[in-house]
Amino acid sequence: MADERSEYLRLVEEIRRHDYAYYVQAEPTITDRQYDALYRKLLDFEQAHPDWIVDDSPTRKVGGEPLEGFESVRHEVPMLSLDNTYSREEVIAFIKKVKRLLPDSEPLFTVEPKVDGVAVSVRYEDGHFVRATTRGDGTMGDDITQNLRTLRSIPLRLHRNPGPVLEVRGEVFMTRKGFIHMNEKRVKAGDAPFANARNATAGSLKQLDSRLVSERPLDVIFYGFGAMDINEQPETNVRFMELLRECGLPAPEHFWVCDSVEAIADALSELDQLRKTMPYETDGAVVKLDSMALREEIGYTSKAPRWAMAYKFEAEQGITRLHAITVQVGRTGLLTPVAELEPIPLAGSTVSRATLHNEDDMRRKDVRIGDLVIIEKAGEVIPAVVRVETSERTGKEKEFSFPGECPECRTTTVRETHEISGNTVHRCPNRECPAQVRGRLIHWCSRGGMDIEGGGEVLSRQLVESGLVRTPADLYRLTQDQVAGLERMGSRSARNFLDGVEASKSRDLWRLIFSLGIPHVGTSTAKRLAREFYSIDAIASASAEQLEAVEDIGGIMAAAINSWFEDPPNRELIEELRDLGLRLADPVPEAGEQGERILEGMSIVLTGTLPNLKRKQAADLIEKHGGKAASSVSSKTAFVVAGDEAGSKLEKANKLGIPVLSEEEFLNKIGESI
Ligand code: IVH
């Protein structure tokens, strides 16, 4: 037994070493297969001897039970920010100022990459990972311990014990590759891709379910410290970075030690070149005083240290020829000018189109066909034309005039002032325009809308072009043969799509409201409307005043909602949807009780892991609606709400013939949404 136990501990050590080699040093020492075999063995050990499991076992990196919310934690040492600049002159001024403040020293500076991610603080006590927090407001942050312990590059135990307390600060990010792979997977699964790696990282760290976090390709680099009570206090930044590495913590791969303004300028230029080849996005450089003693001497302002400064690189730009300007028609008929470019590589992808936003913007920038244009991709997916290189003009460039007719359906367009932005916009007034019909369909099927898988750009185009679908109502009349008969459509994907269409009939009211595509009504307004009015009919007959009484709904939006429902084709659509069996209302509240007692007197049992709600939240909802959350199933149980890995309670419910609801069905029943 003792032997086996030490074999287990040895295995923990071995896997930890491989994790470090793979995730921190990026130099794997064994094949994936060998690694999987070791990991499997570890899991077997832990299954056989749950009492052996050490807190920092590699298996503890897969995430645990979802949280109900993040706790607020006070930072022992505040997490400050940095002064930022885009100007090299300001960097030079900063160096000179530091030198002035330290007349008796010859200070050294370090230059390191500024990682474009999300700031975190991770606390080790006696070499053990104990807590991780976000920056928050600098004084108080969120406790994201459960999420950060799933990061492969964060050791749960340091390679050596540096002393009682070491709080390291750094940036969580996604590598370019990791980000692209994750997005590809999301698109395949029918999920919306993230706009950029930074948003994806921030979104991931806010997840309450750490099991989801463990699947995101998150990485970390540490560059600073908070509370620090260790055996050897580092005297310089260079020594501190060494110390990080000795402890097995990822630190900046590249850094420069500089003794002059010239050396710093060179380092900035080198880094600007190098960053294109680095595996993650860097949006600048951080220049820091190397000596810790000198840092203390010059100190801090209320917001930032006086000993460091961030220099931001300009967003990645490219220069290319604009060959043509085309016009895209959106679902509301809005025409958007698009620059068709000579393809150029930019920030990791090839760019051949960029948005020109609208006519006013185009005029302001004086964009002409044949111009050399500067395009910019600031981490976002859609690049934009920022300016024209007018000095390169030959005189042959042509001004673009907005077409008087819609490029899709040839209807005469109208020129108007956009109600909200005030920009001049062009609109195709033909609601039957194929581009609009298609756009409405894509919007209807989208993830934020009726969430019908497979109803994206490609299928929507086919459905409209084949004449099978004109309005969303037509979707509910499609037959299996019709869909399977479309090009590149197998009978299985046709079936899946139609199952999705059928399932969408009973979606929550807010999804339907959003999917209708009423101008200015996004998901949060749709949710508000559903909560206040409970049915499409009530919204349709609400006056502008009643609508405006709803939080966040102003005059423009109320008028847009009213006029949408006054439009005969829209009324017709609603009637058709009703006849086709779509749910046009959420459960109506009973008089006097605000509809919260729909579960009055019922005993309900929760079992398994629900996809979104935590056990306590589900129980609260049951109580809120008048029911009682019971712990065991009996003939008196009204129904069971079952999630993943539901066990004996589910079996018993089935045996007794008690209804079993999914989380979604349960929420529908009580008229709540997540
Ligand atoms: S040092 C006292 N070093 O960029 C603050 N920050 O724009 C010391 N950042 O707040 C911060 N890479 O969140 C430092 N190598 C680096 C960094 C870095 C990214 C972040 C950090 C900071 C922000 C300033």
Side-chain angles (χ1 to χ4, degrees):
M1 236 359 207
D3 273 2
E4 261 197 60
R5 164 109 172 120
S6 47
E7 159 92 9
Y8 165 74
L9 293 173
R10 201 195 48 70
L11 198 55
V12 168
E13 280 306 322
E14 184 176 353
I15 295 180
R16 205 182 281 145
R17 268 203 318 278
H18 293 311
D19 277 345
Y20 176 71
Y22 187 94
Y23 293 105
V24 180
Q25 296 183 307
E27 285 168 3
T29 35
I30 51 170
T31 65
D32 288 0
R33 239 188 124 98
Q34 288 167 319
Y35 181 88
D36 290 343
L38 291 177
Y39 197 87
R40 184 73 253 161
K41 203 160 140 194
L42 187 70
L43 280 176
D44 289 346
F45 263 130
E46 295 190 343
Q47 204 159 26
H49 308 279
D51 52 316
W52 286 3
I53 304 178
V54 286
D55 217 29
D56 48 15
S57 158
T59 59
R60 301 290 305 264
K61 284 200 159 280
V62 290
E65 279 287 300
L67 304 173
E68 279 170 42
F70 295 113
E71 254 169 64
S72 248
V73 190
R74 179 173 296 277
H75 296 298
E76 199 175 315
V77 175
M79 274 180 92
L80 300 178
S81 187
L82 282 184
D83 289 333
N84 270 327
T85 179
Y86 280 98
S87 127
R88 285 197 178 217
E89 285 72 52
E90 282 187 30
V91 177
I92 295 171
F94 155 75
I95 306 294
K96 289 194 172 146
K97 186 169 158 211
V98 173
K99 289 194 173 192
R100 240 191 349 265
L101 290 169
L102 300 166
D104 304 326
S105 335
E106 302 243 313
L108 290 179
F109 292 87
T110 57
V111 174
E112 59 192 59
K114 178 162 146 47
V115 186
D116 192 13
V118 178
V120 296
S121 182
V122 179
R123 185 178 173 100
Y124 286 89
E125 287 176 8
D126 278 322
H128 291 273
F129 169 95
V130 292
R131 187 186 304 130
T133 43
T134 61
R135 185 207 314 267
D137 63 4
T139 310
M140 305 284 292
D142 282 343
D143 185 332
I144 51 163
T145 308
Q146 292 314 326
N147 286 349
L148 275 223
R149 67 179 300 139
T150 71
L151 265 66
R152 301 288 170 171
S153 45
I154 292 193
L156 296 178
R157 212 182 76 201
L158 296 178
H159 291 189
R160 68 171 177 83
N161 177 3
V165 176
L166 174 60
E167 248 176 43
V168 282
R169 291 182 173 170
E171 211 81 358
V172 175
F173 62 94
M174 286 185 190
T175 61
R176 293 184 229 266
K177 263 199 204 146
F179 173 68
I180 291 169
H181 284 161
M182 175 193 66
N183 261 354
E184 280 170 358
K185 269 206 260 170
R186 288 180 72 84
V187 169
K188 267 198 204 132
D191 290 336
F194 287 105
N196 61 53
R198 219 195 144 274
N199 286 358
T201 304
S204 301
L205 292 185
K206 283 197 202 120
Q207 288 285 343
L208 290 171
D209 187 346
S210 52
R211 285 169 297 198
L212 290 178
V213 183
S214 74
E215 289 162 12
R216 300 274 167 89
L218 296 170
D219 216 321
V220 68
I221 283 183
F222 295 107
Y223 47 68
F225 51 86
M228 183 157 73
D229 172 15
I230 57 179
N231 306 332
E232 177 221 324
Q233 293 282 333
E235 287 180 355
T236 62
N237 193 31
V238 173
R239 175 66 199 130
F240 173 68
M241 287 196 265
E242 260 171 33
L243 198 135
L244 287 173
R245 275 191 212 94
E246 288 164 13
C247 289
L249 291 160
E253 238 176 289
H254 306 280
F255 67 91
W256 290 257
V257 185
C258 307
D259 59 359
S260 67
V261 166
E262 293 73 32
I264 289 172
D266 287 348
L268 294 180
S269 303
E270 271 179 52
L271 179 56
D272 198 7
Q273 280 308 310
L274 200 62
R275 72 182 171 124
K276 294 170 188 130
T277 63
M278 281 163 54
Y280 52 85
E281 306 271 347
T282 37
D283 55 347
V286 183
V287 184
K288 298 176 182 170
L289 195 54
D290 188 39
S291 155
M292 300 293 173
L294 296 182
R295 285 184 182 187
E296 288 318 305
E297 209 175 311
I298 62 172
Y300 303 79
T301 67
S302 63
K303 278 201 289 237
R306 286 204 180 84
W307 44 261
M309 174 153 219
Y311 168 69
K312 299 250 273 186
F313 298 125
E314 297 293 337
E316 276 201 58
Q317 291 190 335
I319 182 160
T320 189
R321 183 77 61 194
L322 185 152
H323 290 308
I325 294 176
T326 55
V327 170
Q328 244 174 22
V329 188
R331 79 180 149 85
T332 57
L334 209 65
L335 270 54
T336 307
V338 177
E340 304 289 342
L341 308 165
E342 179 63 32
I344 52 157
L346 185 68
S349 64
T350 301
V351 174
S352 55
R353 309 181 87 197
T355 179
L356 288 162
H357 304 296
N358 53 57
E359 186 177 20
D360 286 349
D361 199 45
M362 236 168 70
R363 297 250 170 281
R364 246 189 321 268
K365 292 176 184 155
D366 186 23
V367 180
R368 300 183 196 173
I369 300 161
D371 269 337
L372 266 184
V373 291
I374 313 295
I375 57 168
E376 185 173 291
K377 207 170 158 190
E380 304 299 323
V381 172
I382 307 169
V385 172
V386 276
R387 67 180 175 84
V388 174
E389 198 65 272
T390 40
S391 60
E392 294 287 324
R393 284 211 170 130
T394 62
K396 289 201 184 123
E397 295 76 14
K398 286 199 207 77
E399 275 193 47
F400 173 76
S401 48
F402 245 80
E405 53 182 40
C406 169
E408 287 262 352
C409 70
R410 305 283 156 222
T411 303
T412 306
T413 55
V414 288
R415 199 159 179 261
E416 56 190 41
T417 304
H418 191 267
E419 299 182 274
I420 292 179
S421 69
N423 282 320
T424 306
V425 292
H426 296 253
R427 198 183 289 281
C428 164
N430 171 21
R431 57 189 308 140
E432 298 302 322
C433 170
Q436 292 188 43
V437 174
R438 202 166 59 227
R440 287 198 291 269
L441 208 57
I442 295 171
H443 179 72
W444 184 273
C445 298
S446 68
R447 206 158 71 95
M450 294 300 252
D451 198 11
I452 302 174
E453 220 182 298
E457 173 91 41
V458 180
L459 184 60
S460 295
R461 187 178 280 274
Q462 284 180 303
L463 289 170
V464 174
E465 280 175 5
S466 62
L468 288 172
V469 173
R470 212 177 43 81
T471 73
D474 293 333
L475 282 177
Y476 300 88
R477 300 191 188 97
L478 287 170
T479 65
Q480 161 82 12
D481 286 350
Q482 284 173 327
V483 181
L486 294 169
E487 223 175 290
R488 284 190 296 274
M489 240 309 168
S491 76
R492 219 170 98 187
S493 3
R495 186 73 273 150
N496 285 343
F497 173 66
L498 287 177
D499 285 348
V501 170
E502 186 61 30
S504 75
K505 285 184 174 174
S506 50
R507 294 264 188 267
D508 284 342
L509 178 62
W510 71 264
R511 287 188 174 273
L512 179 73
I513 300 171
F514 172 74
S515 301
L516 293 174
I518 304 168
H520 317 308
V521 176
T523 45
S524 62
T525 308
K527 284 181 184 167
R528 291 238 158 79
L529 286 167
R531 220 177 298 141
E532 294 293 325
F533 293 96
Y534 297 98
S535 75
I536 285 288
D537 295 339
I539 300 170
S541 56
S543 65
E545 293 72 47
Q546 284 170 321
L547 290 168
E548 274 186 65
V550 177
E551 205 186 326
D552 279 352
I553 295 189
I556 293 178
M557 216 191 280
I561 297 169
N562 276 160
S563 70
W564 195 91
F565 282 102
E566 276 159 21
D567 205 7
N570 292 339
R571 287 171 173 270
E572 215 172 282
L573 173 66
I574 301 285
E575 288 321 307
E576 280 181 81
L577 294 173
R578 193 190 314 275
D579 292 345
L580 287 161
L582 271 83
R583 225 189 68 179
L584 304 188
D586 277 348
V588 185
E590 277 170 35
E593 291 185 322
Q594 276 128 47
E596 292 187 358
R597 323 244 11 127
I598 192 170
L599 305 178
E600 187 70 77
M602 292 186 191
S603 160
I604 294 143
V605 174
L606 296 163
T607 178
T609 312
L610 301 179
N612 299 293
L613 293 174
K614 205 173 150 49
R615 187 63 70 98
K616 168 95 171 46
Q617 291 172 310
D620 286 347
L621 282 175
I622 293 175
E623 252 149 50
K624 173 177 166 199
H625 290 270
K628 193 173 148 269
S631 55
S632 62
V633 178
S634 74
S635 58
K636 298 208 175 66
T637 305
F639 60 88
V640 170
V641 182
D644 275 347
E645 284 166 40
S648 60
K649 291 181 196 169
L650 178 60
E651 257 176 55
K652 187 153 179 204
N654 285 333
K655 222 188 268 161
L656 295 174
I658 288 166
V660 177
L661 273 63
S662 67
E663 182 193 71
E664 194 180 347
E665 289 164 333
F666 166 63
L667 288 168
N668 279 340
K669 187 178 181 77
I670 58 174
E672 297 267 3
S673 53
I674 297 157

